[in-house]
Amino acid sequence: MAELDIGQHCQVEHCRQRDFLPFVCDDCSGIFCLEHRSRESHGCPEVTVINERLKTDQHTSYPCSFKDCAERELVAVICPYCEKNFCLRHRHQSDHECEKLEIPKPRMAATQKLVKDIIDSKTGETASKRWKGAKNSETAAKVALMKLKMHADGDKSLPQMSNLE
């Protein structure tokens, strides 16, 4: 019977087993059987490189520059104005009392003051000065009549009669 040329041999020297569904290592691109598929079992050279990298990568932390704050961050949070490093709690200019903090001026302060002065001067006028002209006097009379009717009680000695009878 002729031997089929299917599968591949394990690359571990003492194994060399023929595997029909071989495993390919992601790191060293070697071909291995089921038993030697893990990095540790076939002595993958990339594992030592990864382990050395993990040992040398010590996480540096950045202390907060705000007075009496002991917080540290893994990522530098630098204020673009004063260029100091702060924790997430003090990252905004108003939170760390930034020396370059600009307090916004109220918009249209002069216009607002002028409007307020005009309104204050108008409220001091009497009601008769406000209602000028025939049309305004008619409206004022109607408003006065409506207010009078709204608060009218009538004579208490007169009996209240309904118009339904």
Side-chain angles (χ1 to χ4, degrees):
M1 183 159 158
E3 195 173 312
L4 296 173
D5 192 22
I6 304 174
Q8 293 177 322
H9 291 283
C10 180
Q11 286 185 344
V12 174
E13 289 298 321
H14 66 274
C15 179
R16 302 297 295 162
Q17 177 182 355
R18 185 175 195 94
D19 198 335
F20 295 107
L21 293 172
F23 293 92
V24 179
C25 180
D26 293 332
D27 293 323
C28 65
S29 301
I31 298 169
F32 302 100
C33 65
L34 178 65
E35 185 180 339
H36 298 111
R37 68 181 174 161
S38 68
R39 292 180 186 97
E40 293 80 22
S41 63
H42 69 262
C44 187
E46 296 294 320
V47 173
T48 55
V49 173
I50 292 171
N51 288 341
E52 287 175 9
R53 238 185 273 147
L54 289 175
K55 289 177 187 175
T56 58
D57 283 346
Q58 296 299 324
H59 295 289
T60 56
S61 61
Y62 300 90
C64 181
S65 298
F66 189 69
K67 60 183 180 210
D68 299 330
C69 182
E71 291 289 320
R72 299 177 81 83
E73 296 295 331
L74 294 175
V75 178
V77 181
I78 299 172
C79 175
Y81 302 99
C82 64
E83 297 178 352
K84 293 180 182 175
N85 188 61
F86 294 99
C87 65
L88 292 178
R89 183 179 300 146
H90 299 117
R91 70 185 181 270
H92 299 294
Q93 276 187 297
S94 58
D95 294 336
H96 67 262
E97 300 166 3
C98 187
E99 62 243 13
K100 296 186 180 179
L101 176 65
E102 294 181 17
I103 299 171
K105 295 177 183 172
R107 293 179 58 203
M108 301 187 314
T111 307
Q112 289 176 348
K113 185 181 182 308
L114 182 64
V115 169
K116 185 178 181 305
D117 290 344
I118 292 170
I119 291 172
D120 289 344
S121 70
K122 294 289 183 185
T123 55
E125 295 178 357
T126 60
S128 63
K129 281 188 177 179
R130 277 189 278 171
W131 300 102
K132 292 182 182 174
K135 194 171 192 179
N136 287 337
S137 62
E138 283 180 35
T139 307
K142 287 180 183 178
V143 169
L145 180 62
M146 287 177 14
K147 285 184 179 178
L148 182 67
K149 286 182 177 180
M150 187 169 60
H151 296 293
D153 289 332
D155 190 3
K156 299 290 182 192
S157 64
L158 295 175
Q160 297 289 326
M161 297 176 70
S162 67
N163 292 338
L164 298 176
E165 297 177 15

PDB file of all heavy atoms in Angstrom, residues 10-18 33 35-36:
ATOM      1  N   CYS A  10       6.141  16.848  13.351  1.00  0.00           N
ATOM      2  CA  CYS A  10       6.368  17.777  14.459  1.00  0.00           C
ATOM      3  C   CYS A  10       7.832  18.208  14.429  1.00  0.00           C
ATOM      4  O   CYS A  10       8.729  17.392  14.181  1.00  0.00           O
ATOM      5  CB  CYS A  10       6.035  17.091  15.783  1.00  0.00           C
ATOM      6  SG  CYS A  10       6.285  18.133  17.235  1.00  0.00           S
ATOM      7  N   GLN A  11       8.117  19.492  14.699  1.00  0.00           N
ATOM      8  CA  GLN A  11       9.480  19.999  14.603  1.00  0.00           C
ATOM      9  C   GLN A  11      10.305  19.763  15.866  1.00  0.00           C
ATOM     10  O   GLN A  11      11.491  20.079  15.872  1.00  0.00           O
ATOM     11  CB  GLN A  11       9.460  21.504  14.277  1.00  0.00           C
ATOM     12  CG  GLN A  11       9.073  21.789  12.841  1.00  0.00           C
ATOM     13  CD  GLN A  11       9.180  23.270  12.503  1.00  0.00           C
ATOM     14  OE1 GLN A  11       9.259  24.115  13.366  1.00  0.00           O
ATOM     15  NE2 GLN A  11       9.162  23.563  11.209  1.00  0.00           N
ATOM     16  N   VAL A  12       9.717  19.187  16.909  1.00  0.00           N
ATOM     17  CA  VAL A  12      10.491  18.862  18.107  1.00  0.00           C
ATOM     18  C   VAL A  12      11.367  17.654  17.761  1.00  0.00           C
ATOM     19  O   VAL A  12      10.874  16.635  17.249  1.00  0.00           O
ATOM     20  CB  VAL A  12       9.558  18.575  19.301  1.00  0.00           C
ATOM     21  CG1 VAL A  12      10.344  18.099  20.509  1.00  0.00           C
ATOM     22  CG2 VAL A  12       8.727  19.796  19.632  1.00  0.00           C
ATOM     23  N   GLU A  13      12.684  17.742  17.998  1.00  0.00           N
ATOM     24  CA  GLU A  13      13.657  16.748  17.562  1.00  0.00           C
ATOM     25  C   GLU A  13      13.349  15.334  18.076  1.00  0.00           C
ATOM     26  O   GLU A  13      13.423  14.373  17.326  1.00  0.00           O
ATOM     27  CB  GLU A  13      15.064  17.156  18.013  1.00  0.00           C
ATOM     28  CG  GLU A  13      15.617  18.344  17.252  1.00  0.00           C
ATOM     29  CD  GLU A  13      15.759  18.052  15.764  1.00  0.00           C
ATOM     30  OE1 GLU A  13      16.150  16.926  15.393  1.00  0.00           O
ATOM     31  OE2 GLU A  13      15.468  18.965  14.968  1.00  0.00           O
ATOM     32  N   HIS A  14      12.994  15.187  19.329  1.00  0.00           N
ATOM     33  CA  HIS A  14      12.776  13.842  19.872  1.00  0.00           C
ATOM     34  C   HIS A  14      11.389  13.299  19.551  1.00  0.00           C
ATOM     35  O   HIS A  14      11.093  12.143  19.798  1.00  0.00           O
ATOM     36  CB  HIS A  14      13.020  13.829  21.401  1.00  0.00           C
ATOM     37  CG  HIS A  14      12.032  14.649  22.181  1.00  0.00           C
ATOM     38  ND1 HIS A  14      12.200  15.991  22.394  1.00  0.00           N
ATOM     39  CD2 HIS A  14      10.879  14.297  22.797  1.00  0.00           C
ATOM     40  CE1 HIS A  14      11.190  16.447  23.110  1.00  0.00           C
ATOM     41  NE2 HIS A  14      10.372  15.428  23.373  1.00  0.00           N
ATOM     42  N   CYS A  15      10.494  14.095  18.943  1.00  0.00           N
ATOM     43  CA  CYS A  15       9.129  13.653  18.646  1.00  0.00           C
ATOM     44  C   CYS A  15       8.983  13.245  17.171  1.00  0.00           C
ATOM     45  O   CYS A  15       8.697  12.089  16.880  1.00  0.00           O
ATOM     46  CB  CYS A  15       8.130  14.763  18.978  1.00  0.00           C
ATOM     47  SG  CYS A  15       6.400  14.339  18.617  1.00  0.00           S
ATOM     48  N   ARG A  16       9.094  14.212  16.275  1.00  0.00           N
ATOM     49  CA  ARG A  16       8.980  14.002  14.829  1.00  0.00           C
ATOM     50  C   ARG A  16       7.718  13.227  14.420  1.00  0.00           C
ATOM     51  O   ARG A  16       7.688  12.562  13.395  1.00  0.00           O
ATOM     52  CB  ARG A  16      10.222  13.293  14.275  1.00  0.00           C
ATOM     53  CG  ARG A  16      11.536  14.007  14.527  1.00  0.00           C
ATOM     54  CD  ARG A  16      11.645  15.359  13.875  1.00  0.00           C
ATOM     55  NE  ARG A  16      11.622  15.240  12.411  1.00  0.00           N
ATOM     56  CZ  ARG A  16      11.366  16.245  11.591  1.00  0.00           C
ATOM     57  NH1 ARG A  16      11.084  17.426  12.064  1.00  0.00           N
ATOM     58  NH2 ARG A  16      11.379  16.062  10.297  1.00  0.00           N
ATOM     59  N   GLN A  17       6.685  13.270  15.229  1.00  0.00           N
ATOM     60  CA  GLN A  17       5.434  12.561  14.943  1.00  0.00           C
ATOM     61  C   GLN A  17       4.736  13.216  13.752  1.00  0.00           C
ATOM     62  O   GLN A  17       4.714  14.430  13.618  1.00  0.00           O
ATOM     63  CB  GLN A  17       4.515  12.622  16.168  1.00  0.00           C
ATOM     64  CG  GLN A  17       3.173  11.967  15.944  1.00  0.00           C
ATOM     65  CD  GLN A  17       2.256  12.091  17.169  1.00  0.00           C
ATOM     66  OE1 GLN A  17       2.672  12.592  18.199  1.00  0.00           O
ATOM     67  NE2 GLN A  17       1.048  11.609  17.033  1.00  0.00           N
ATOM     68  N   ARG A  18       4.186  12.369  12.892  1.00  0.00           N
ATOM     69  CA  ARG A  18       3.448  12.876  11.737  1.00  0.00           C
ATOM     70  C   ARG A  18       2.029  13.192  12.198  1.00  0.00           C
ATOM     71  O   ARG A  18       1.332  12.354  12.750  1.00  0.00           O
ATOM     72  CB  ARG A  18       3.436  11.837  10.624  1.00  0.00           C
ATOM     73  CG  ARG A  18       2.794  12.350   9.351  1.00  0.00           C
ATOM     74  CD  ARG A  18       2.919  11.297   8.245  1.00  0.00           C
ATOM     75  NE  ARG A  18       2.643  11.881   6.967  1.00  0.00           N
ATOM     76  CZ  ARG A  18       3.561  12.369   6.147  1.00  0.00           C
ATOM     77  NH1 ARG A  18       4.825  12.329   6.488  1.00  0.00           N
ATOM     78  NH2 ARG A  18       3.220  12.893   4.994  1.00  0.00           N
ATOM     79  N   CYS A  33       2.854  18.982  16.785  1.00  0.00           N
ATOM     80  CA  CYS A  33       1.753  18.054  17.026  1.00  0.00           C
ATOM     81  C   CYS A  33       0.911  18.569  18.191  1.00  0.00           C
ATOM     82  O   CYS A  33       1.223  19.586  18.802  1.00  0.00           O
ATOM     83  CB  CYS A  33       2.297  16.650  17.315  1.00  0.00           C
ATOM     84  SG  CYS A  33       3.252  16.566  18.847  1.00  0.00           S
ATOM     85  N   GLU A  35       0.622  17.427  21.202  1.00  0.00           N
ATOM     86  CA  GLU A  35       1.343  17.415  22.478  1.00  0.00           C
ATOM     87  C   GLU A  35       2.285  18.617  22.617  1.00  0.00           C
ATOM     88  O   GLU A  35       2.460  19.140  23.708  1.00  0.00           O
ATOM     89  CB  GLU A  35       2.150  16.117  22.600  1.00  0.00           C
ATOM     90  CG  GLU A  35       2.830  15.956  23.931  1.00  0.00           C
ATOM     91  CD  GLU A  35       3.609  14.657  24.008  1.00  0.00           C
ATOM     92  OE1 GLU A  35       3.315  13.728  23.219  1.00  0.00           O
ATOM     93  OE2 GLU A  35       4.511  14.588  24.848  1.00  0.00           O
ATOM     94  N   HIS A  36       2.876  19.081  21.534  1.00  0.00           N
ATOM     95  CA  HIS A  36       3.876  20.150  21.593  1.00  0.00           C
ATOM     96  C   HIS A  36       3.358  21.487  21.032  1.00  0.00           C
ATOM     97  O   HIS A  36       4.147  22.346  20.650  1.00  0.00           O
ATOM     98  CB  HIS A  36       5.142  19.728  20.831  1.00  0.00           C
ATOM     99  CG  HIS A  36       5.786  18.535  21.411  1.00  0.00           C
ATOM    100  ND1 HIS A  36       5.797  17.319  20.754  1.00  0.00           N
ATOM    101  CD2 HIS A  36       6.416  18.331  22.603  1.00  0.00           C
ATOM    102  CE1 HIS A  36       6.416  16.424  21.496  1.00  0.00           C
ATOM    103  NE2 HIS A  36       6.803  17.017  22.630  1.00  0.00           N
TER     104      HIS A  36
END
